[in-house]
Amino acid sequence: MTDFTQFPPSFTWGVATSAFQIEGAWNLDGKGPSIWDTFTHTPGKIIDGTTGDVACDHYHRYPEDVAIMAGLGVDAYRFSMAWSRVQPQGKGAWNEAGWDFYDRLLKELESKRIDAHITLFHWDLPQGLQDEGGWLNRDTAYHFAEYAAEVARRFGNRVKTIATHNEPWCTANLGYGNAQFAPGVADLKQSVQVSHHLVLSHGLAMSAMRKVGSTAQLGIVLNQWTADPATDSAADKAAAEFEYSRSVEWFMDPIFKGKYPELALKVYGDNGPVVQDGDLAIAHQKIDFLGVNYYFRSFCSTETPPRQPEFKLGKTDMGWEIYPDGLTELLLKLNATYELPPIYITENGMANPDSLVNGEIPDTARIDFVQRHLKALNDARLQGVNIQGYFLWSLLDNFEWNSGYAKRFGIVHVDYQTQKRTPKHSALWYRDYLIQQRARNSANAA
């Protein structure tokens, strides 16, 4: 694909990571254990039997990683903080050594003029809170708000944005719905209740951070997709409507409309959440930005076995259909349904079976993937969706949750034995793409 899509000069270009996937140093300098430390140390939970104990050793190698970002020419870096690094039990005493790490990381980014975009929670709940019920315990939402306020108090004037959650759908449905992710529970009723506590915690954290008075833009990051029926059958259409309701609308409606979607509530029935008076008013408050993570669409079939899409553009190493049109469709649908703040595409990328070839990593499939999704993104922007930036997932190959180190999403290859970083062809392409963007914008302004 050779299309070159032009974005405005104000558009933010970034890369993204998450704490547990890259930091390592799982028990150093006073850090407490998280549910993912516990999960990965439990035999049989991770496909390749690995842990995040070292991961990419970003805790020690962050100067090198920030230098790589600077070399790519990105404007921004989106990363998450490990809650148990700064508050080992998830409540009570703060760990100053943990805060010092993030202070050093921010200073490194500031020295390279790279904006920081922080995510407060990317699935790694402190084990101390899990021991008291985790997200199933309503109190966790209030502890989260206290943590959010402290981050905003310390760093809120040094970062561009703060997102409360990354993909709460995954926390609820993969952590509590099918036991694929930590803490490893498979119970529909619990997963639905957890999702409500996550929504509540978002609202509580927004209020707590606003009281601190930081200058950061505040929002949330949601993984979203269109849901398409596999056929024109009534059953497939109904399955698609419910899938969209239980995934996209389930989190968007409380935040933007102050209620849960009727279809999902009806289907859940007795498995619906316990909602206390005032909860949805807490969730339903203005946010400064919405982060959208897009990887694939949902293709809904009620046949046995389920009918598969045509995979016209192939699939990623995760087995996910490559479907860039779904990004345009999703953004236009959201824009027509909700009164949206500015949007960042906070994650988009692909797992690819990359390998070194004469010291290089020719990941042409990833370049094609990103190009197609940037065109799809711009198509939505040109049709009126207020999109302010794009963060490529991920900067580094890293610990890919229950897949361990078997799946590589990075534009920078990591040799996990030596920790050597090698930019892939996609990283070099991204660098050159940003150079072209800026050159054309400068020429147009002249």
Side-chain angles (χ1 to χ4, degrees), residues 220-237:
I220 191 170
V221 171
L222 303 175
N223 55 321
Q224 301 187 324
W225 47 78
T226 53
D228 297 336
T231 70
D232 289 332
S233 73
D236 284 358
K237 288 181 179 179

Side-chain angles (χ1 to χ4, degrees), residues 163-304:
T164 53
H165 287 278
N166 177 80
E167 300 185 350
W169 183 95
C170 293
T171 301
N173 289 277
L174 304 184
Y176 284 85
N178 66 11
Q180 184 177 333
F181 283 4
V185 177
D187 184 293
L188 175 60
K189 189 172 182 65
Q190 287 191 39
S191 72
V192 175
Q193 188 62 49
V194 161
S195 71
H196 174 64
H197 289 161
L198 291 163
V199 168
L200 172 65
S201 75
H202 159 74
L204 291 169
M206 291 293 295
S207 296
M209 289 191 289
R210 288 225 163 91
K211 288 178 182 176
V212 172
S214 74
T215 58
Q217 298 173 350
L218 308 179
I220 191 170
V221 171
L222 303 175
N223 55 321
Q224 301 187 324
W225 47 78
T226 53
D228 297 336
T231 70
D232 289 332
S233 73
D236 284 358
K237 288 181 179 179
E241 288 177 4
F242 173 59
E243 171 58 28
Y244 191 79
S245 184
R246 71 177 282 269
S247 56
V248 176
E249 292 177 340
W250 188 257
F251 292 96
M252 289 289 286
D253 281 16
I255 294 170
F256 290 100
K257 298 181 177 181
K259 63 179 183 178
Y260 282 113
E262 293 179 7
L263 175 58
L265 283 174
K266 179 180 178 181
V267 175
Y268 282 146
D270 292 340
N271 289 314
V274 175
V275 180
Q276 294 188 14
D277 290 345
D279 283 2
L280 291 174
I282 291 170
H284 177 44
Q285 57 182 288
K286 178 181 177 292
I287 60 176
D288 301 320
F289 74 94
L290 173 67
V292 174
N293 294 353
Y294 178 81
Y295 290 97
F296 52 79
R297 66 169 169 173
S298 180
F299 191 75
C300 302
S301 172
T302 56
E303 298 175 17
T304 305

